[in-house]
Each structure stands twice: as C-alpha cells, then as structure tokens.
Amino acid sequence: MSLSPLFSAKSFDDLPGWGDDDHLPAFEAFRRSAFHVLAKPYRSGALGVDFGAFAEAYADARGASSPSGAQARAFFARTFFERHFVPMLVRAETGLVTGFYEPQVEASPVRTQHFSVPLMSRPADLVDVDDANRPDGMDPYLAFARRKADGLAEYFDRGAIERGALAGQGLEIAWLADKVDAFFVHVQGAARLAMTDGRLCRVTYAAKSGQRFTGPGKILSELGEIPLAEVTMQSIRAWFKAHPDRVDEILWQNRSYIFFREAAVDDASLGPIAAAKVPLTPGRSIAVDRLLHTFGTPFYIDAPTLTAFDTRPFRRLMIAQDTGSAITGPARGDLFAGSGDAAGEIAGVVRNAADFFALVPRPLVEGAR
C-alpha cells in the first residue's frame, strides 16, 4: 500500500499555530486509541495510511508517562508527535469542518403523557447486508435490511416507524418529550439522558434503518424557508418551533432512522464511545471518512475563520476517532465539541473552510523515499 498523491509532505514549521497549540489533550486521546488497538486493530484507509505503521507510536504512547509540570507535559506531548509523524497536507479543492456534540436531554424510563417520543433499540429483524447477501435489485447503498420469511427487504423508514411499524416489540429504551429533540439525538448518534428518576444514562448508536440521510437544513433551504447561508442547528430548531404543524412533513423526508443501545457514563468529562471504540475527547476528536482515512490518525486542522471553540482561530491537533454518513471526502471532518447545551451551541454553528494536515507515521514516509 502506497501513500495517495493527495498527500503533500510538509514540516511542522509549515503548520500555522503549531507551537501555540496544547498538544497534551490530543496525546491523551491518541493514547486511548493506542490501548484499544491491542484488542482490535483499525482498518487501513484507502489513501494508504497503513495501520501497521502506527506500531512504534502506539507502543511509545502506551509506555509513556508524562512528566510533572504543565510546561513539561505540553513539551512532552508536542515532541511525541514530532518524533513519530510527518505532517502531510491533504490536497483537495475545498476542505470543510462541521461540528457535532452529545446532547443532554430529560427523559423518562416509561411513557407518560408528557414523555411520548421513544428512543429505540435495534429490532430483531434488522440484519446487516453487504454484497454477499444483498438481494438482486436492492439499493447497493443499503447496509441494513429487514428479515422476512421470504428473504430480505428494505427496512421500514422513519415515517413508517414513527407511525407505529415497530410498536408492541418493547424496543423503547427511554421516552423524550419532544420529537425535534429526539431527531437531533438521531443526528448526533448519542445522548446523555437525565432520567426523571434521577439517573444519568447514555444512549449511543447501535444500528440504523439504512436509508440515505437527508438533512432538514437542506430541505428547508430548497423550500425557501431558510437561506442556505443561515442554516444552523439553531435556525432549524427555531423554524420547527415556529411551525409545529410541519415537523413530520420535514423530518419524514429524512428516511434514515437510528437505533440505540444503552451505555454507561464512566467519565463525565469524555463523550460517548464512537466508531473507533474509544470515548470521544471534547475539542480533540474528529470524525473523518473512514473509507479513506485510518482511525487513530492525528490531523492538524487549520480553520482560521472558526472561532466558536474559543476567540482564537481554530488551529488544533485532532485525532480521527469517529465517522459519519455525511462525512465524505479526503478533507472533510466533523469536530466533536463535547456534551450538553453549551457544546451544542458551538457545534451548531460550525461550518468553516479548513486545511487538513494528516500526521503520517514516519516509517511510511521514510520508507517511500
């Protein structure tokens, strides 16, 4: 496997703001992946960043103990990445970052008049499909299907499920008060639930009905309801609040429906366990196109117009630890902002041009010379 020509070698001096970043949170995120891969390696992406080339960096991260003192720890983390990696500009026509977060919503363990919108677990008749078992004529995009007595068929979509296609199966994990809140939990793929009985729980992605995702912002823009340049999570929520009679009309055009599983909140400072099977780190985990990139890859993101995370231009080292159906392309990323309403305020407005620098393991670069 050779590196893609989309990668162009740079030096760390070429990275805007590299010396000003705090690399320690990124190192800690990277270290979590280093321990996970002992149990299950990550798949190598199509752009040629071979998972095996991370072996030395992962071993060093697992064995390292950061020194005492804030300055010493920061220097240790920066030199770790400089020692093991070479920055490579990902050449693309446009680079784009958006944001995602883990909502926190009030929920009930039982249905009530107020709490009537379910979050559901994976149904028994939902099966994974691929080229080996996909029936002739089924949309090749579909990765899930419905098992029937006479074979596999496309699964119920959002409209059918919300009209009761799965009623009576006991799939409800928890009940929310608002359909729009539930939809945004689906979009984010996880949530913390402040239960009415006092517990703090978490749900995270388990599966989906399989149809393509169609965002309400795109629909509302095409209908002339919200100018495309003004589409944010906040503007979409405001439109739904002003038009409660049209919620189903818009949301059911997104046929994809997400199923969840329950998960513990072991560390309140971290996000849910995502596609790379480690907890997401606020401000340091990034979702990428997993078909192109390799989980665990550090990415330095230079987005000078993005100031939602703090008042300075966004120039940070991130670790690839998640993916998403809307995250496609070599220079496309989704920045994890954290959990709760404050993180949602950040994530909801992020849509900025960015340069992507992949930190590629030195053995891959030096071996190609």
Side-chain angles (χ1 to χ4, degrees):
M1 177 180 286
S2 58
L3 284 175
S4 167
L6 290 177
F7 289 127
S8 176
K10 301 293 180 181
S11 72
F12 284 99
D13 290 337
D14 294 324
L15 307 188
W18 172 258
D20 298 325
D21 189 23
D22 178 4
H23 303 83
L24 187 60
F27 171 77
E28 292 169 344
F30 181 83
R31 194 167 188 259
R32 279 185 275 275
S33 280
F35 280 101
H36 167 74
V37 298
L38 292 174
K40 187 174 182 180
Y42 293 138
R43 181 177 63 190
S44 299
L47 295 185
V49 179
D50 180 40
F51 167 78
F54 286 85
E56 183 178 338
Y58 278 149
D60 193 6
R62 288 191 296 266
S65 57
S66 58
S68 59
Q71 285 188 325
R73 289 196 299 271
F75 179 76
F76 160 80
R78 178 170 64 82
T79 55
F80 171 87
F81 289 108
E82 293 175 353
R83 183 167 64 253
H84 288 289
F85 297 96
V86 174
M88 309 282 277
L89 175 66
V90 182
R91 293 184 293 187
E93 291 185 4
T94 55
L96 176 68
V97 290
T98 49
F100 72 112
Y101 77 113
E102 181 185 38
Q104 181 163 317
V105 293
E106 190 178 8
S108 171
V110 296
R111 181 172 186 166
T112 69
Q113 184 175 357
H114 181 66
F115 295 99
S116 61
V117 183
L119 298 177
M120 305 178 74
S121 61
R122 178 173 180 155
D125 63 351
L126 181 70
V127 298
D128 294 28
V129 293
D130 54 26
D131 291 341
N133 65 343
R134 180 178 291 108
D136 292 340
M138 178 177 280
D139 185 346
Y141 175 86
L142 297 177
F144 296 91
R146 182 185 174 208
R147 184 193 298 113
K148 302 173 62 177
D150 58 351
L152 298 179
E154 182 176 333
Y155 207 77
F156 300 117
D157 67 4
R158 174 175 296 276
I161 292 170
E162 293 191 351
R163 288 190 295 267
L166 301 179
Q169 297 188 31
L171 301 175
E172 297 86 0
I173 297 173
W175 301 84
L176 306 189
D178 184 76
K179 182 173 286 189
V180 175
D181 282 344
F183 178 79
F184 279 103
V185 171
H186 282 227
V187 171
Q188 304 302 327
R192 294 187 190 186
L193 306 181
M195 304 298 286
T196 54
D197 60 11
R199 292 178 295 135
L200 181 63
C201 303
R202 171 178 276 148
V203 291
T204 190
Y205 172 90
K208 58 185 177 180
S209 60
Q211 295 89 357
R212 288 170 175 81
F213 174 84
T214 304
K218 179 177 184 292
I219 296 167
L220 292 171
S221 173
E222 291 175 347
L223 291 173
E225 298 289 342
I226 305 177
L228 182 60
E230 298 177 15
V231 170
T232 64
M233 183 180 68
Q234 290 86 342
S235 66
I236 294 169
R237 280 186 175 274
W239 190 93
F240 281 135
K241 186 174 182 179
H243 302 84
D245 57 321
R246 297 184 66 186
V247 170
D248 287 343
E249 170 201 338
I250 302 301
L251 293 188
W252 288 354
Q253 292 186 57
N254 172 48
R255 300 182 65 217
S256 176
Y257 188 92
I258 305 299
F259 301 102
F260 298 92
R261 60 179 177 83
E262 295 181 76
V265 182
D266 295 323
D267 185 338
S269 70
L270 298 176
I273 293 175
K277 305 305 180 187
V278 295
L280 298 176
T281 302
R284 294 294 169 172
S285 292
I286 185 172
V288 297
D289 188 335
R290 71 179 305 176
L291 296 180
L292 299 178
H293 296 297
T294 304
F295 282 157
T297 300
F299 281 88
Y300 190 72
I301 304 298
D302 177 25
T305 64
L306 173 55
T307 56
F309 280 78
D310 56 36
T311 57
R312 298 173 301 171
F314 189 93
R315 290 173 169 136
R316 288 192 190 182
L317 184 61
M318 312 287 288
I319 309 299
Q321 294 178 320
D322 202 4
T323 191
S325 58
I327 311 303
T328 58
R332 177 72 175 89
D334 212 12
L335 312 174
F336 180 62
S339 303
D341 291 344
E345 290 298 312
I346 295 171
V349 299
V350 178
R351 187 174 183 85
N352 297 80
D355 285 332
F356 284 63
F357 296 88
L359 270 58
V360 175
R362 285 194 176 276
L364 281 178
V365 181
E366 293 167 355
R369 290 172 179 166

